[in-house]
Amino acid sequence: MKVLVTGGAGFIGSEIVKQLRDKTEAEIVVLDALTKQIHGEDPEKSYLYSAIKNKCKFVHGDIRDYSVVKTALSGCNYVIHLAAETGTGQSMYEINQYNEVNIMGTSNLLQAILSEHQHINKFILASSRSVYGEGKYECPDHGTTFPEGRKVEKMREKDFSMHCPYCGKTMKVIATDEESKIAPNSLYAFTKYSQEKMVETMCRAMSIDYTIFRFQNVYGAGQSLKNPYTGILSIFSTLMLANKPINIFEDGNESRDFIHVRDIAASVITALSKAQTNSEIINLGSGQEKSVIEIADMLRNEYHSQSTIEISGDFRIGDIAHNFADITKAKKLFDFTPRVSLAEGLHEFCEWVKKQEALDSGYYQSLSEMENTGMFIRTGSH
């Protein structure tokens, strides 16, 4: 078995490479651009690149470069496609970049498989829960509902709840399953859904088995502290270690489903040889929701930080209110059970962060960039 992992030097990719090396006899090829946003100024010394060095054949190049993709793909019979731009907020103003990397990069990979007559046994795509948009809710009067994104006018008034589109009543979030309505709220989400449809269409046409995973919020040691779009765990950690104030957007009750990177990697590797996952779209998450304010409190306790926490009412256009995964399908198809609890995973993550070099993640600059394009709205007094 020879496996190509695109984006294999990234956060999730490096863990997949590690587990492939430890658990299988696979020959591993990694294609990665080692972007500055993830790996910093000297990428070959980055934590993530160091984690895969000498564990695979490494091809340094861009997923959009056909000749590089062709070289990386040569002789491979399995593909794990992770290479992508991943910042939900950033995607709302770096539109061309996200389309070029996520959509055209995937197109380039599929073109290479077809044109080079490469025999692929299995193609695995890392997609995102973001394709569901706001996801699945329940109205006390109208039952199950799949609402559109929240109205900016309401959010300016600091009303961040989800309201029934039929009666206006406040709704309760429920677990989102794979049959839920697709309603991308961000350009990033749109590109991930485009990837899904491209993979479904072309893998069927080429008689290639495939699995599409929709990841929830993936976290763990190795998560980039240099990338201001990588998620609240890294952003809050960098600020808390410097005892800087934490600006929590909206009302702090917005919630997410956090899944540890080791659980993600193990599931992806299982799917390589699990026929039951063929031609399936599968949620991967913990199946539990956690509010942003709860996460902030857990992190502050771990770091013994003096950071003040302000719930500002600021918000980003394209952010969702709540979402957590229904993981029934993953349990049924390959007996999926998350092994790493949030408490254990956060403690491990925080201990790793404490050992890393203190740096500026560029978080404040990223907010300014978003604000300048109208995608970040300040409603607080600061």
Side-chain angles (χ1 to χ4, degrees):
M1 179 167 68
K2 187 175 181 180
V3 185
L4 170 62
V5 185
T6 72
F11 169 47
I12 297 174
S14 60
E15 180 63 27
I16 288 174
V17 169
K18 178 181 180 297
Q19 291 194 26
L20 275 171
R21 179 70 178 265
D22 292 345
K23 297 179 179 180
T24 74
E25 299 297 321
E27 184 179 351
I28 307 165
V29 180
V30 165
L31 170 62
D32 201 291
L34 297 180
T35 58
K36 177 182 174 182
Q37 186 162 290
I38 301 296
H39 297 276
E41 296 285 353
D42 192 356
E44 293 194 1
K45 293 182 179 178
S46 74
Y47 176 88
L48 293 173
Y49 178 74
S50 298
I52 67 164
K53 193 175 181 181
N54 302 322
K55 293 182 179 177
C56 60
K57 175 186 175 183
F58 183 74
V59 179
H60 186 188
D62 197 305
I63 190 71
R64 294 167 291 181
D65 185 332
Y66 185 85
S67 62
V68 169
V69 171
K70 176 182 171 182
T71 297
L73 192 62
S74 179
C76 294
N77 50 3
Y78 291 84
V79 174
I80 299 172
H81 182 34
L82 298 157
E85 297 283 8
T86 59
T88 301
Q90 187 182 40
S91 76
M92 298 298 282
Y93 62 92
E94 293 286 358
I95 300 168
N96 286 345
Q97 177 73 8
Y98 275 71
N99 274 314
E100 288 168 8
V101 174
N102 296 4
I103 295 177
M104 291 309 299
T106 302
S107 176
N108 209 33
L109 179 58
L110 292 168
Q111 183 71 63
I113 292 171
L114 178 66
S115 298
E116 303 305 319
H117 307 290
Q118 191 73 45
H119 176 71
I120 303 297
N121 294 335
K122 186 77 178 271
F123 189 112
I124 294 179
L125 172 68
S127 186
S128 165
R129 57 96 5 237
S130 65
V131 301
Y132 298 121
E134 291 291 350
K136 196 172 183 177
Y137 284 77
E138 189 171 62
C139 170
D141 291 343
H142 294 93
T144 300
T145 305
F146 300 99
E148 299 295 333
R150 294 170 291 173
K151 296 184 183 301
V152 174
E153 297 78 16
K154 286 285 188 183
M155 297 176 78
R156 284 185 183 276
E157 297 169 1
K158 299 192 177 183
D159 180 355
F160 302 109
S161 300
M162 292 304 306
H163 297 280
C164 177
Y166 307 109
C167 67
K169 287 186 177 179
T170 300
M171 298 188 295
K172 176 185 178 183
V173 64
I174 55 178
T176 301
D177 59 24
E178 292 85 353
E179 301 305 313
S180 297
K181 179 182 175 182
I182 299 299
N185 256 10
S186 66
L187 199 283
Y188 166 70
F190 171 81
T191 65
K192 297 309 287 185
Y193 188 57
S194 297
Q195 286 183 333
E196 290 187 11
K197 301 313 289 184
M198 292 164 68
V199 168
E200 282 184 325
T201 301
M202 292 311 302
C203 283
R204 286 171 182 165
M206 293 185 286
S207 300
I208 296 173
D209 290 329
Y210 68 89
T211 301
I212 296 169
F213 284 114
R214 289 174 178 162
F215 298 161
Q216 289 280 340
N217 291 61
V218 186
Y219 76 99
Q223 191 169 343
S224 178
L225 303 176
K226 302 177 178 71
N227 183 357
Y229 305 98
T230 195
I232 61 171
L233 298 186
S234 293
I235 292 167
F236 287 178
S237 292
T238 302
L239 296 173
M240 285 180 179
L241 285 175
N243 293 311
K244 292 182 178 179
I246 306 297
N247 174 11
I248 293 185
F249 299 163
E250 303 187 18
D251 58 7
N253 292 317
E254 60 273 23
S255 61
R256 302 292 183 265
D257 180 338
F258 293 90
I259 178 75
H260 198 273
V261 67
R262 286 202 298 274
D263 287 324
I264 289 287
S267 298
V268 169
I269 292 169
T270 295
L272 286 173
S273 58
K274 199 77 169 178
Q276 290 90 329
T277 67
N278 291 350
S279 305
E280 296 286 356
I281 296 174
I282 305 169
N283 287 337
L284 283 183
S286 68
Q288 300 177 346
E289 58 174 329
K290 208 72 173 174
S291 73
V292 173
I293 189 65
E294 288 177 303
I295 291 294
D297 286 338
M298 292 174 75
L299 289 173
R300 189 165 60 171
N301 289 336
E302 285 284 348
Y303 293 126
H304 304 291
S305 174
Q306 300 303 308
S307 292
T308 57
I309 294 180
E310 176 189 1
I311 299 174
S312 66
D314 297 346
F315 62 92
R316 300 187 306 182
I317 294 174
D319 276 356
I320 61 164
H322 307 282
N323 193 265
F324 69 103
D326 183 327
I327 56 175
T328 303
K329 188 174 184 179
K331 289 179 178 179
K332 179 181 177 182
L333 292 178
F334 60 98
D335 197 28
F336 170 69
T337 302
R339 304 293 182 187
V340 184
S341 70
L342 183 59
E344 176 190 352
L346 276 186
H347 176 72
E348 180 186 284
F349 169 74
C350 292
E351 290 302 304
W352 172 78
V353 171
K354 291 174 188 176
K355 298 174 185 175
Q356 306 309 304
E357 178 186 358
L359 44 80
D360 179 7
S361 69
Y363 174 61
Y364 294 117
Q365 180 182 342
S366 73
L367 292 184
S368 295
E369 290 173 357
M370 290 195 70
E371 188 172 18
N372 289 338
T373 59
M375 293 294 120
F376 175 57
I377 310 295
R378 295 184 191 271
T379 66
S381 58
H382 49 87

